[in-house]
Amino acid sequence: MNEVILCKYGEVVLKGTNRPVFESLLLKELRRRASPYGIFKIYKSQSTVFIEPQNEEADLDGMYDAAKRVFGIAGVTRAAVTGQDMERIRETARAYFPTRLAGCRTFRVDAKRADKAFPLTSPEIAAEIGGVILSCVPGIRVDLHHPEEMVRVEIREGKTYLHAGQEKGAGGMPLFTAGRGLLLLSGGIDSPVAGYMMAKRGMEIEAIHFDAFPYTSERSREKVMTLADELCAYCSRIHVHVVTVTAIQEALRKHCQEEFYTLLLRQFMMKLSEKCARQFSCHALITGESLGQVASQTIQAISVTDAATDLPVFRPCIGMDKEEIVSVARKIGTFDTSVLPYEDCCTVFTPRHPKTRPTREQIEAELEKVDAEALTEQAYSTMTTETRRIFPTYR
């Protein structure tokens, strides 16, 4: 029996005259993702992407899992393919659906007849296939209003596709359709979620990570690289730029008031991030901040942080509580890595009583106590870059 993968569009259908651009990028990403799994023919028709294996060696299971993580796809399903003869359609349904509907209690058949030359109407097709399922799947019954499973029969372009068990895709918009953003990637729970959420809107993600060697360990850095690898399941490829801010932190401890340490460090991080973003053609910064979660994320502190850069700062987690952020982290597979007990630079020289309502004037006065420009340049000179990919040949 021939089987293919059908990927249903999400928001792409709303793009009007720009839609071909989004479709082209979506197909290109699916073709790149397909390369480790064999040879597939991938094409679009009527708001659906068809992924057809071209030989027996093609790994349909692997490609199916990969397709579920491609942004721009709202739903993914495997489908049996047959011709447009009603007897062949019935035979295929009889062979295909007992396994697909095993354990299912109720179902409904939805038929779509894109080829209007087909002799039966959509309701007649649905009734025919519904009868076949009732005769070959034990214990199942029809429920038109609240079915446990929706069975679909699509007749289009000389072929018939039968499927059930459609799963949700990654949703959002195709990668590379919304510019490039620089993610401030720590080792915590929030920043990987922020990167995922912006990638879901079509943004290409680069990342910058700040370490404080020797106060932070090599394991801390490896943890961040693992998080980048896990994000690559959705983002495909991430360049991770690592900057050492040890000299900055030691200067702040020596010359500035303790209650401002974290806020001052954030100022330097934003300046370094903007410098990195401009060098690598990123159009915005991305952080995992959530309003009021910690002292440096009050509205006053965020205002001070934003004053350090002219680039827009995207904070997709800003209105989420910790439980919501953790839920997304678990969904995308970064949570277990994020909670590994390796320190990051933000835990070095943490003030006992951090300032929660700073003013710009206070921050500017503290910055005058150090040579901010020299410290920024020195830190930026330490930058190294690693490229993480979903698989080695991904370009």
Side-chain angles (χ1 to χ4, degrees):
M1 181 186 302
N2 294 330
E3 198 173 19
V4 302
I5 299 170
L6 305 182
C7 301
K8 302 297 184 177
Y9 285 179
E11 293 180 59
V12 173
V13 298
L14 305 176
K15 289 303 172 183
T17 56
N18 291 326
R19 178 168 162 175
V21 175
F22 289 83
E23 290 177 325
S24 175
L25 289 167
L26 176 58
L27 289 172
K28 188 177 293 186
E29 181 65 14
L30 281 166
R31 288 171 184 142
R32 282 193 289 247
R33 296 288 189 102
S35 61
Y37 303 108
I39 301 173
F40 293 86
K41 180 181 179 182
I42 301 176
Y43 62 95
K44 63 179 176 65
S45 177
Q46 299 175 334
S47 300
T48 299
V49 176
F50 295 77
I51 303 176
E52 299 179 352
Q54 297 300 289
N55 53 41
E56 293 184 358
E57 289 72 35
D59 180 2
L60 199 66
D61 292 336
M63 185 63 228
Y64 182 81
D65 287 339
K68 288 194 295 183
R69 294 177 173 85
V70 173
F71 291 124
I73 299 298
V76 184
T77 188
R78 294 170 69 142
V81 187
T82 188
Q84 287 195 356
D85 175 77
M86 197 62 215
E87 184 54 39
R88 290 177 63 186
I89 295 172
R90 282 192 289 263
E91 289 176 3
T92 302
R94 192 172 292 110
Y96 191 62
F97 286 127
T99 300
R100 303 293 292 177
L101 298 176
C104 181
R105 292 170 297 179
T106 62
F107 77 103
R108 171 181 171 172
V109 179
D110 181 31
K112 180 180 180 181
R113 187 178 56 127
D115 183 353
K116 302 305 180 185
F118 193 78
L120 274 65
T121 65
S122 294
E124 289 171 337
I125 298 167
E128 286 276 350
I129 300 306
V132 170
I133 292 171
L134 288 171
S135 69
C136 68
V137 180
I140 201 167
R141 62 183 176 83
V142 174
D143 185 340
L144 298 179
H145 302 291
H146 304 288
E148 187 176 325
E149 194 63 78
M150 181 69 76
V151 173
R152 290 181 170 86
V153 182
E154 301 184 36
I155 297 177
R156 51 166 92 200
E157 299 176 357
K159 295 180 180 179
T160 302
Y161 300 87
L162 300 96
H163 56 95
Q166 178 172 295
E167 294 188 70
K168 288 188 68 174
M173 298 300 298
L175 279 175
F176 313 115
T177 59
R180 183 182 298 160
L182 182 68
L183 171 67
L184 279 69
L185 181 61
S186 71
I189 298 171
D190 304 343
S191 59
V193 170
Y196 160 82
M197 292 174 72
M198 294 312 303
K200 188 175 181 178
R201 300 310 307 155
M203 182 166 278
E204 180 183 359
I205 302 298
E206 298 238 348
I208 187 169
H209 173 68
F210 300 99
D211 72 14
F213 184 82
Y215 300 106
T216 56
S217 66
E218 182 61 27
R219 285 189 173 183
S220 176
R221 178 178 175 136
E222 290 172 358
K223 171 183 174 180
V224 169
M225 294 303 165
T226 300
L227 287 171
D229 289 339
E230 290 164 347
L231 279 176
C232 282
Y234 295 92
C235 303
S236 297
R237 180 196 63 217
I238 301 177
H239 302 297
V240 184
H241 312 287
V242 181
V243 175
T244 299
V245 293
T246 308
I248 292 174
Q249 292 185 280
E250 290 176 339
L252 295 178
R253 182 177 64 168
K254 183 176 180 180
H255 299 290
C256 300
Q257 294 184 53
E258 180 185 352
E259 63 182 340
F260 292 106
Y261 285 174
T262 302
L263 293 168
L264 292 169
L265 180 60
R266 292 290 295 176
Q267 282 263 318
F268 278 101
M269 286 180 173
M270 298 302 277
K271 290 182 182 297
L272 289 163
S273 296
E274 178 175 353
K275 192 174 181 68
C276 181
R278 296 193 185 281
Q279 179 178 345
F280 295 100
S281 302
C282 298
H283 308 106
L285 305 181
I286 305 165
T287 79
E289 290 162 305
S290 171
L291 186 62
Q293 186 176 140
V294 295
S296 63
Q297 294 174 19
T298 64
I299 193 168
Q300 294 90 346
I302 288 172
S303 176
V304 166
T305 299
D306 279 352
T309 178
D310 292 328
L311 290 176
V313 182
F314 294 149
R315 297 179 171 92
C317 301
I318 195 70
M320 301 170 69
D321 62 31
K322 200 65 178 184
E323 184 177 347
E324 291 170 317
I325 297 171
V326 166
S327 177
V328 177
R330 291 187 186 279
K331 170 188 167 185
I332 65 176
T334 58
F335 178 79
D336 289 343
T337 301
S338 291
V339 297
L340 291 174
Y342 305 134
E343 70 290 326
D344 63 35
C345 70
C346 292
T347 63
V348 178
F349 310 141
T350 303
R352 289 165 294 180
H353 304 290
K355 191 76 170 178
T356 58
R357 295 185 178 182
T359 65
R360 293 188 185 184
E361 291 76 18
Q362 289 173 323
I363 296 299
E364 289 169 0
E366 291 297 313
L367 286 172
E368 288 179 0
K369 299 176 182 179
V370 297
D371 189 342
E373 184 174 346
L375 287 169
T376 300
E377 291 300 323
Q378 185 277 329
Y380 199 70
S381 71
T382 69
M383 187 173 70
T384 59
T385 300
E386 289 192 35
T387 299
R388 317 299 288 197
R389 293 181 173 90
I390 188 170
F391 47 82
T393 58
Y394 186 94
R395 293 180 293 172

